[in-house]
């Protein structure tokens, strides 16, 4: 991941680093931000992420975040990894219309509702090892709107 040209990879990024003048994360041209397994990532620490308009791929897997509402304005995101998170709501995902890859493996998601019905560009969706227990939760798949979906992991 860190070798991607034009990307920025931090194994662990704190809120204070986001505000550091030495790191041009805010307003920069980064395409990838991976904070996977970073124990210091908190809900308060991700509120600056929407300022990164060039950000295309975001990895928050296995972090302690519970609220991703700040990401609802990150319309340029193409891939989001939220595997292993304990989000309180997955609703903000519906605003990420450009999303092509979404990983929710091992997450606390237990219901979907209409959160994913508008993700028309979605090609890959990983819902494996989640709390989804009812086929009714997957009704959005039969809506006919996810015509580009190629990979579905349950």
């Amino acid at each position: 991941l860190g070798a991607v040209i034009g990307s920025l990879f931090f194994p662990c990024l704190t809120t204070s680093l986001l505000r550091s003048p030495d790191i041009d994360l805010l307003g920069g041209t980064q395409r990838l931000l991976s904070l996977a397994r970073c124990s210091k990532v908190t809900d308060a620490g991700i509120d600056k992420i929407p300022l990164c308009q060039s950000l295309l791929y975001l990895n928050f897997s296995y972090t302690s975040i519970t609220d991703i509402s700040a990401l609802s304005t990150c319309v340029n995101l193409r891939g989001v990894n939220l595997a292993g998170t304990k989000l309180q709501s997955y609703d903000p995902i519906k605003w990420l219309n450009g999303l092509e890859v979404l990983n929710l493996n091992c997450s606390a998601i237990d219901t979907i509702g209409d959160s994913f019905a508008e993700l028309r560009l979605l090609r890959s969706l990983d819902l494996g090892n989640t709390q989804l227990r009812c086929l009714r939760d997957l009704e959005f798949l039969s809506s006919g709107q996810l015509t580009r979906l190629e990979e579905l992991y349950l």
Side-chain angles (χ1 to χ4, degrees):
L1 290 177
V4 176
I5 295 174
S7 69
L8 187 57
F9 174 77
F10 293 114
C12 193
L13 186 65
T14 63
T15 305
S16 61
L17 281 176
L18 282 173
R19 295 189 184 108
S20 170
D22 299 329
I23 297 176
D24 185 24
L25 175 63
L26 306 179
T29 59
Q30 292 73 26
R31 301 284 186 239
L32 165 73
L33 179 61
S34 179
L35 302 173
R37 299 188 186 277
C38 181
S39 62
K40 295 182 181 183
V41 175
T42 63
D43 295 339
I46 68 168
D47 64 340
K48 300 295 183 195
I49 297 296
L51 297 176
C52 303
Q53 291 301 312
S54 62
L55 197 60
L56 298 178
Y57 301 97
L58 189 57
N59 185 350
F60 280 145
S61 61
Y62 300 97
T63 61
S64 61
I65 63 167
T66 59
D67 182 9
I68 57 167
S69 56
L71 301 182
S72 63
T73 59
C74 297
V75 294
N76 293 324
L77 283 175
R78 298 293 175 252
V80 175
N81 187 343
L82 298 168
T85 58
K86 309 243 182 299
L87 299 181
Q88 295 172 351
S89 171
Y90 293 84
D91 235 25
I93 292 172
K94 69 182 171 188
W95 302 111
L96 304 177
N97 295 337
L99 214 54
E100 297 175 9
V101 178
L102 179 58
N103 185 347
L104 297 173
N105 189 293
C106 296
S107 67
I109 190 167
D110 59 0
T111 185
I112 293 177
D114 66 347
S115 297
F116 303 152
E118 295 299 318
L119 301 179
R120 294 190 171 120
L121 299 179
L122 199 63
R123 292 183 296 106
S124 177
L125 176 60
D126 190 340
L127 297 170
N129 301 307
T130 61
Q131 304 298 315
L132 292 174
R133 299 285 181 246
C134 183
L135 288 176
R136 213 170 334 128
D137 290 322
L138 302 175
E139 286 180 353
F140 72 96
L141 293 172
S142 63
S143 68
Q145 294 176 320
L146 301 180
T147 57
R148 295 187 182 196
L149 192 64
E150 299 169 2
E151 299 175 353
L152 175 64
Y153 302 97
L154 298 174

